[in-house]
Amino acid sequence: MTFRSILFNGIEEMSKERPGRPVFFLDLNLDQIIDAIARGKEEYNLKPFFYIPLTSIDTIQYRHEIFQDLENVELFGNMQAFAKKMRVMCEHLDQS
């Protein structure tokens, strides 16, 4: 099996249209939570990923498994180090 995404189990889910922020996000103050998560990472345009409803049980289970994996301190540290190096690389590409 080819790895495609840490967020989606199948390619068909990745290609779905990115919806706008649901109205109820404001009512539940979810917009504030998402703003805090995405702060400092604006170049990644993360917010639309929080607006995609998960309708497949398989995708929900897949996402749960990913979060369980990220509870491993060593793995999480490696992910953070990778993200930091990618950010530095992107800065170098912008400068060139």
Side-chain angles (χ1 to χ4, degrees):
M1 182 170 98
T2 303
F3 175 78
R4 297 188 190 278
S5 172
I6 195 168
L7 295 177
F8 300 103
N9 197 14
I11 190 73
E12 66 282 347
E13 295 160 322
M14 290 173 52
S15 61
K16 286 183 181 176
E17 181 182 327
R18 302 289 183 250
R21 181 181 63 202
V23 177
F24 65 86
F25 270 47
L26 292 173
D27 294 339
L28 299 174
N29 292 322
L30 295 174
D31 58 319
Q32 295 175 21
I33 295 169
I34 293 170
D35 286 347
I37 292 169
R39 190 171 297 120
K41 302 172 187 82
E42 288 77 13
E43 70 270 19
Y44 297 117
N45 193 25
L46 296 174
K47 290 181 183 182
F49 289 104
F50 290 95
Y51 307 150
I52 300 169
L54 300 180
T55 56
S56 161
I57 295 295
D58 289 339
T59 302
I60 294 168
Q61 288 174 334
Y62 176 77
R63 190 84 55 98
H64 280 246
E65 290 170 6
I66 294 295
F67 285 121
Q68 286 173 345
D69 288 345
L70 291 175
E71 288 178 359
N72 177 313
V73 176
E74 183 179 358
L75 176 62
F76 187 72
N78 289 337
M79 292 287 292
Q80 287 181 311
F82 175 79
K84 183 178 180 179
K85 290 177 183 178
M86 286 297 292
R87 184 174 279 181
V88 169
M89 184 191 72
C90 288
E91 290 172 3
H92 289 303
L93 286 173
D94 286 344
Q95 292 172 0
S96 65

